[in-house]
Amino acid sequence: MWLLYQFPLCPFSRKIRLLMSEKNIPYELRREDPWAATDLFFNLNPAGRTPVVVNEQKSLVLADSRAIAEYFEETVDHAPMINGTAAQRAEIRRLVALFDENFYADVTAPLLSERMKKRLVLRQPPDSRVLREAMKLAHGHLDYLDWLIDNRPWVAGSTMSMADLAAAAQISVADYLGGIDWAGHEQSRGWYAVFKSRPSFRPLLAERMDVIKPPPHYALLDG
Amino acid sequence: MWLLYQFPLCPFSRKIRLLMSEKNIPYELRREDPWAATDLFFNLNPAGRTPVVVNEQKSLVLADSRAIAEYFEETVDHAPMINGTAAQRAEIRRLVALFDENFYADVTAPLLSERMKKRLVLRQPPDSRVLREAMKLAHGHLDYLDWLIDNRPWVAGSTMSMADLAAAAQISVADYLGGIDWAGHEQSRGWYAVFKSRPSFRPLLAERMDVIKPPPHYALLDG
């Protein structure tokens, strides 16, 4: 049984939860609040970020969500998620980076800052200009996702891959925080609805963060 | 011959230049200024970021520096840079992420913004508070690098790896921009001096960015 240090609204933790569930790797959750920054956690990961996974013998500590994903891809054959030719694998990794870095910086990070950190930690009202800009940029990212889904069955090609997990993880956190307007994004919405019904995704959708409530459509399978 | 779209002070471009040179993969440079944001470049990479590599037949476009590195690792046997057991490979990738994400966000990005973008694009003076904070955080990162080099011959283990290339790429840009104070970091300095003398590194150190000059020690082998 692996230990997964994570935070419910950390999109990178969600990506690894989805991956481990899809691969049938058993794990137990340990919550690590990003604002706590305990010495214990910095000893596990000098980058101070979730997720971190630790094996049962505590002899192996893995940090950084992409490094963790590559490790499980190399060691667990079931449900390959970085699959195909070298070029196809490069396309999967390019799209993982696009969601991990660009979508996160444009959409998820400002939403987390305005709707979670300001509420739970700073006790300030959100800045509506920042929220509007994040939601505008979300539309641009969903336009690109619509285009991808128009051209291929899954985000990076003919089978489900880490690119789908990375995209779904970011979008699910943004959707929880009310930052996703699905109007006009039928392709993305259809792809996401399929995802929401997967057994790997159900536990994430059932969780609720203290004080902060998601919009009514968030956990609905046809939302 | 590969085409490498890059920018002289982009640390991720430098990482890929070092990698391709170490692996003896022939390439030609195309400069892409980050502030230009041409449609042509966004068509190559929707993330709008350097580096991008394109093969001679123009049938393959690779974007995102980590995806590019994994592609060349999978397709070119010479000079493996993500080598060893799954756990060792995870350690290499964790450290690549630490330099690509944390060092970049704490040190390289604010230096590029204050000392390059403000000078060349915005025509504003740098904010000395931001510069002081970046240099303070650089010391923290170099302390960790000192500790790594004290415990292993190379950044991630017993052989040179992508972690060394990622660290050297970030540090070289920060050093160009006057953000590195080597005092008190003898281990890091010794490791970096070895790196500077490598044939893969010499062309980078010889380049000069328009208007912006590096400090005198920048290209010296014993600097």
Side-chain angles (χ1 to χ4, degrees):
Chain A
M1 179 79 83
W2 292 80
L3 256 186
L4 171 56
Y5 290 82
Q6 56 90 45
F7 177 72
L9 290 182
C10 163
F12 308 101
S13 301
R14 288 188 167 214
K15 183 177 67 173
I16 295 306
R17 288 175 70 176
L18 291 171
L19 173 68
M20 294 179 82
S21 297
E22 290 287 339
K23 283 186 166 293
N24 295 332
I25 302 166
Y27 61 96
E28 205 174 279
L29 300 178
R30 283 282 179 283
R31 178 163 163 171
E32 190 65 38
D33 290 341
W35 54 82
T38 60
D39 285 352
L40 205 75
F41 187 63
F42 270 85
N43 284 344
L44 279 180
N45 180 13
R49 292 179 181 179
T50 49
V52 171
V53 297
V54 181
N55 69 352
E56 186 140 8
Q57 302 78 25
K58 301 207 186 325
S59 57
L60 182 60
V61 177
L62 304 175
D64 176 62
S65 70
R66 275 181 260 176
I68 295 169
E70 298 280 350
Y71 177 85
F72 286 128
E73 188 69 14
E74 292 176 6
T75 55
V76 179
D77 288 338
H78 182 70
M81 290 285 167
I82 310 173
N83 210 11
T85 64
Q88 287 164 339
R89 290 158 64 89
E91 176 66 353
I92 292 167
R93 293 183 178 114
R94 173 183 80 83
L95 288 164
V96 168
L98 190 72
F99 285 96
D100 277 7
E101 296 178 15
N102 299 61
F103 190 101
Y104 178 73
D106 290 345
V107 182
T108 323
L111 285 168
L112 282 168
S113 172
E114 297 302 322
R115 290 231 164 108
M116 184 188 73
K117 193 174 175 194
K118 283 197 174 171
R119 177 129 186 214
L120 297 184
V121 187
L122 305 175
R123 315 273 168 184
Q124 291 170 1
D127 182 331
S128 58
R129 259 187 338 160
V130 174
L131 288 174
R132 268 199 307 277
E133 178 66 11
M135 291 184 71
K136 203 187 92 188
L137 293 173
H139 276 298
H141 283 285
L142 291 180
D143 285 342
Y144 185 62
L145 185 59
D146 289 340
W147 179 83
L148 290 171
I149 300 294
D150 256 350
N151 286 279
R152 7 170 116 160
W154 295 91
V155 170
S158 58
T159 56
M160 182 194 282
S161 75
M162 277 315 297
D164 296 278
L165 306 188
Q170 294 292 335
I171 289 171
S172 71
V173 174
D175 197 31
Y176 190 108
L177 296 169
I180 300 289
D181 171 8
W182 290 101
H185 301 291
E186 290 315 311
Q187 295 92 329
S188 297
R189 189 184 189 151
W191 161 85
Y192 189 58
V194 170
F195 231 94
K196 279 167 119 176
S197 66
R198 295 186 75 83
S200 64
F201 214 152
R202 300 303 302 159
L204 272 73
L205 291 176
E207 275 182 4
R208 291 294 170 273
M209 182 76 195
D210 1 300
V211 190
I212 303 164
K213 298 278 163 283
H217 72 257
Y218 169 71
L220 297 178
L221 289 189
D222 57 353
Chain B
M1 179 79 84
W2 292 80
L3 256 185
L4 170 56
Y5 291 81
Q6 56 89 46
F7 177 71
L9 290 182
C10 163
F12 309 101
S13 301
R14 286 188 168 213
K15 183 177 67 172
I16 296 303
R17 288 175 70 176
L18 291 171
L19 172 68
M20 294 178 82
S21 297
E22 290 288 340
K23 280 185 167 295
N24 295 333
I25 302 167
Y27 61 94
E28 206 172 276
L29 300 177
R30 284 281 179 285
R31 176 163 165 171
E32 189 66 38
D33 291 340
W35 53 83
T38 61
D39 286 350
L40 206 74
F41 188 63
F42 270 85
N43 285 342
L44 279 180
N45 180 14
R49 292 178 181 179
T50 48
V52 171
V53 297
V54 181
N55 69 352
E56 184 138 10
Q57 303 78 25
K58 300 204 187 325
S59 57
L60 183 62
V61 178
L62 304 175
D64 176 64
S65 70
R66 275 180 261 176
I68 295 168
E70 297 280 351
Y71 177 86
F72 286 128
E73 188 69 13
E74 292 176 5
T75 56
V76 178
D77 289 338
H78 182 71
M81 290 287 165
I82 312 173
N83 211 11
T85 65
Q88 287 164 339
R89 291 158 63 89
E91 176 67 353
I92 292 168
R93 292 184 179 114
R94 173 183 81 82
L95 289 163
V96 168
L98 190 72
F99 285 96
D100 277 7
E101 297 178 15
N102 298 62
F103 190 100
Y104 178 72
D106 290 344
V107 183
T108 324
L111 286 168
L112 281 168
S113 173
E114 297 303 322
R115 290 230 164 108
M116 184 188 73
K117 194 175 173 192
K118 283 197 174 170
R119 176 131 185 213
L120 297 183
V121 186
L122 305 174
R123 314 275 168 184
Q124 290 169 3
D127 182 331
S128 57
R129 260 188 334 161
V130 173
L131 288 175
R132 267 200 307 276
E133 177 66 12
M135 291 183 73
K136 202 186 92 188
L137 292 173
H139 276 297
H141 284 284
L142 291 180
D143 284 341
Y144 185 62
L145 185 60
D146 288 340
W147 179 82
L148 290 171
I149 300 294
D150 256 349
N151 285 281
R152 3 169 117 160
W154 295 90
V155 171
S158 58
T159 56
M160 183 194 283
S161 75
M162 278 314 298
D164 296 278
L165 306 188
Q170 294 292 335
I171 289 170
S172 72
V173 173
D175 197 32
Y176 189 108
L177 296 168
I180 300 289
D181 171 8
W182 291 102
H185 302 290
E186 290 315 310
Q187 294 92 329
S188 297
R189 191 184 186 148
W191 160 85
Y192 189 59
V194 170
F195 230 95
K196 278 167 121 177
S197 65
R198 294 186 75 83
S200 63
F201 215 152
R202 300 301 304 158
L204 272 74
L205 291 176
E207 274 182 5
R208 290 294 171 271
M209 182 77 195
D210 3 299
V211 190
I212 304 163
K213 299 276 164 283
H217 71 256
Y218 169 72
L220 296 179
L221 289 190
D222 56 354

